Amino acid sequence: MENVKSIMKKANKCLDCTKPACIVGCPLDNDIKGFIKCIKEENYKAAYNLLSKTTVLESICGRICPHEKQCQGACRKEIKKAPVKIGRLEEFIGDLAIKDNWKIRSKAEATHNVAVIGGGPAGLTCAAFLKKHGINVTIYEKHNYLGGLLSHGIPEFRLPKTITEKTVQRIIDLGIEVKYNETLGKTITIEQLEKKYDAIFIGIGANISNRMKIPGEKLKGVYGGNEILEYKRKIDYENKTVVVYGGGNVAMDTSRTLKKLGAKKVIVVYRKSEEEMPADKDEIKAAKEEGIEFLFNNNIIKIIGKNKVKSIELIKTHYKKSKDKLLLENIRDSKHKIGCDYVIKAIGSHANRRTMNSLNLKLTNNGRIKIDKKGNTSNKKVFAGGDAAGNIATVAWAARAGRNAAYTIIEYLNK
Ligand SMILES: Cc1cc2nc3c(=O)[nH]c(=O)nc-3n(C[C@H](O)[C@H](O)[C@H](O)COP(=O)(O)OP(=O)(O)OC[C@H]3O[C@@H](n4cnc5c(N)ncnc54)[C@H](O)[C@@H]3O)c2cc1C
């Protein structure tokens, strides 16, 4: 844990703005100005109590939120490129709450029973806010552990497993029941749950790697980044060359993981420029420092091999002005090849189509659950949020969706 002196130095940088833009930048609407003021006054418990009004993931969000795009990006001091390190301050308070076992406040009496499907940030936050308001919650989770992408997506070197486990435990300790190894659409159905519970929240994520839709994609040695991280497939990377295709967090996390697992060479291929990569700048920097190579402005157009991957064919890209727009296009006669042993797809993800179709709910055009701003679905007893409902795919946005759906469920149950 960071020492108090350095935390105080960070907190004292806060200007205590009259209109704090940082709060507007935070998907969870955390009272950032308020909790930093409490830190300045050395009242850490009060800082925790303020934060826990809006979140149960302090230690996690403090570590892995894309702060530069959220709270810190909105901080007045960002103009001088020296924003208050809000993430570090939130992490400090969250870690203190774990260390000193500050309980999450809740009401004791149980009034209704709600099923939460999926134990990721959306499901866990929904469950916690329901239980805080005196509602019995049972989480149904397909794995034999909770946390979702916090446990099986974001690697240990960015988010220590012990932090996730302790955060999850504090939520479960509110008195939440968990049924592990239960898969919606397989071992349980919405119809069964509707009979048993007063309301249902679905937060099953969308963690299936998108296809590249190019020749050679079915060859042995082509994998999805999301699946590699989630199922920890036993693949021999020792002395191998791996190409990772994509420019987001999944591409960075997969490439860094595979390098640590012994790959000789890892090359990230991205179709646009470095400046346009959606991955966090810190992650790109760390990847470079760890020896990951980058090939920008290149599209993979073919994977070559007999039974397994031997090489890839690429084509270079550039922007071309068309009317008043800039369009990314392939450069003619710029094809080239790279030899490699594996190709990892990291170009986005989607929800399990079979599961989604089994829900009898209205879906969006990209196959996610259609919800309104409050988390209502087309079935009045069923609510949804997080990646499964197509929100902006970050932990804080998923948690916000879970928390807000919990309030909508409470409203529905009290009608
Ligand atoms: C590699 C990677 C790195 C990322 N890095 C960051 C980051 O640094 N910062 C950030 O803010 N965001 C990051 N994200 C995005 C973030 O993790 C997700 O947006 C967030 O976890 C979504 O939360 P969720 O609860 O909706 O879904 P998930 O976290 O996917 O959780 C869904 C849960 O539902 C369970 N489940 C799935 N199907 C079923 C079923 N049929 N029945 C029962 N249970 C089911 C799953 O096992 C899981 O526990 C990253 C994502 C990935 C893949």
Side-chain angles (χ1 to χ4, degrees):
M1 241 167 93
E2 198 165 334
N3 67 55
V4 172
K5 205 174 153 200
S6 134
I7 285 295
M8 278 303 168
K9 205 172 157 196
K10 288 190 172 72
N12 284 324
K13 276 192 159 186
C14 176
L15 297 172
D16 203 14
C17 306
T18 332
K19 285 186 185 163
C22 52
I23 302 181
V24 182
C26 170
L28 281 157
D29 313 312
N30 288 343
D31 184 352
I32 296 168
K33 169 177 157 161
F35 99 84
I36 295 182
K37 191 165 177 276
C38 295
I39 296 182
K40 285 183 190 172
E41 290 161 2
E42 292 181 49
N43 194 346
Y44 307 129
K45 187 90 188 269
Y48 169 71
N49 287 339
L50 263 190
L51 274 171
S52 64
K53 282 187 181 171
T54 44
T55 178
V56 284
L57 302 177
E58 303 89 346
S59 283
I60 290 168
C61 284
R63 284 178 168 83
I64 52 87
C65 270
H67 301 111
E68 76 270 19
K69 293 180 193 151
Q70 297 178 354
C71 54
Q72 285 174 203
C75 173
R76 290 272 144 77
K77 289 198 155 184
E78 170 63 18
I79 299 164
K80 289 191 176 162
K81 295 278 168 246
V84 177
K85 300 271 184 229
I86 300 162
R88 295 287 81 77
L89 296 172
E90 186 183 8
E91 173 186 332
F92 175 76
I93 295 298
D95 287 4
L96 257 189
I98 291 176
K99 184 173 142 287
D100 293 348
N101 200 16
W102 295 336
K103 300 273 182 233
I104 304 172
R105 289 188 191 159
S106 68
K107 280 191 197 161
E109 297 145 56
T111 45
H112 293 93
N113 296 307
V114 174
V116 166
I117 324 298
L124 285 168
T125 306
C126 182
F129 276 84
L130 287 170
K131 191 67 195 174
K132 269 164 152 256
H133 289 83
I135 290 165
N136 266 340
V137 183
T138 306
I139 298 180
Y140 287 79
E141 166 56 49
K142 79 169 176 184
H143 286 300
N144 61 0
Y145 57 85
L146 296 175
L149 288 169
L150 305 173
S151 301
H152 57 230
I154 305 174
E156 171 77 24
F157 52 81
R158 285 209 296 126
L159 178 62
K161 293 284 169 267
T162 52
I163 292 294
T164 303
E165 283 161 12
K166 286 177 184 165
T167 302
V168 166
Q169 195 54 49
R170 285 165 53 73
I171 294 170
I172 300 310
D173 285 349
L174 279 164
I176 290 166
E177 187 190 3
V178 186
K179 291 189 186 289
Y180 293 103
N181 303 311
E182 293 279 11
T183 304
L184 183 65
K186 268 194 191 158
T187 61
I188 39 160
T189 64
I190 284 287
E191 289 74 22
Q192 288 168 334
L193 296 169
E194 273 190 283
K195 285 185 193 138
K196 214 169 154 194
Y197 295 94
D198 300 309
I200 301 155
F201 173 79
I202 305 176
I204 58 175
N207 198 36
I208 300 176
S209 298
N210 286 345
R211 285 175 49 215
M212 291 160 79
K213 296 181 184 160
I214 56 170
E217 195 172 351
K218 293 224 165 97
L219 285 170
K220 204 166 162 236
V222 182
Y223 301 109
N226 300 65
E227 289 75 13
I228 291 255
L229 295 170
E230 179 165 353
Y231 297 101
K232 312 209 166 26
R233 301 173 92 138
K234 296 258 177 298
I235 299 164
D236 179 17
Y237 299 106
E238 205 80 40
N239 271 320
K240 301 284 196 309
T241 296
V242 186
V243 167
V244 176
Y245 190 36
N249 277 335
V250 179
M252 291 305 98
D253 284 342
T254 315
S255 56
R256 293 178 68 194
T257 299
L258 302 191
K259 185 81 181 164
K260 287 177 204 299
L261 286 172
K264 182 177 70 181
K265 197 172 187 178
V266 180
I267 309 164
V268 172
V269 175
Y270 181 52
R271 67 195 173 99
K272 297 183 182 175
S273 69
E274 176 167 3
E275 295 68 44
E276 292 166 287
M277 275 182 90
D280 299 345
K281 298 288 167 250
D282 287 351
E283 270 234 75
I284 301 169
K285 187 169 166 263
K288 282 184 177 171
E289 282 164 9
E290 289 162 17
I292 312 278
E293 294 174 27
F294 287 81
L295 193 56
F296 297 109
N297 287 106
N298 268 273
N299 259 325
I300 303 180
I301 51 171
K302 197 196 274 182
I303 306 172
I304 303 158
K306 266 207 168 140
N307 299 311
K308 72 172 291 302
V309 176
K310 262 195 115 183
S311 60
I312 51 168
E313 187 167 286
L314 307 106
I315 192 159
K316 294 182 183 170
T317 67
H318 68 171
Y319 279 106
K320 201 175 164 210
K321 210 166 182 188
S322 162
K323 290 183 189 156
D324 49 353
K325 272 195 209 147
L326 280 176
L327 292 178
L328 189 74
E329 65 168 32
N330 294 336
I331 301 173
R332 208 191 291 164
D333 298 329
S334 70
K335 286 181 189 167
H336 60 118
K337 283 184 189 163
I338 294 179
C340 60
D341 303 286
Y342 299 113
V343 176
I344 312 295
K345 299 176 271 189
I347 48 167
S349 62
H350 59 271
N352 184 315
R353 292 197 180 97
R354 197 177 296 167
T355 308
M356 287 297 171
N357 288 331
S358 77
L359 301 178
N360 285 326
L361 296 174
K362 269 196 188 145
L363 303 180
T364 61
N365 290 340
N366 64 355
R368 310 217 178 178
I369 302 168
K370 197 166 185 177
I371 55 168
D372 66 9
K373 276 187 185 152
K374 296 177 83 182
N376 292 293
T377 68
S378 53
N379 177 337
K380 67 176 180 13
K381 211 174 166 177
V382 180
F383 305 79
D387 289 2
N391 279 308
I392 305 165
T394 72
V395 171
W397 281 102
R400 175 198 174 96
R403 182 196 66 198
N404 290 355
Y407 287 126
T408 309
I409 293 171
I410 293 166
E411 228 175 79
Y412 164 75
L413 295 177
N414 290 330
K415 259 184 196 159

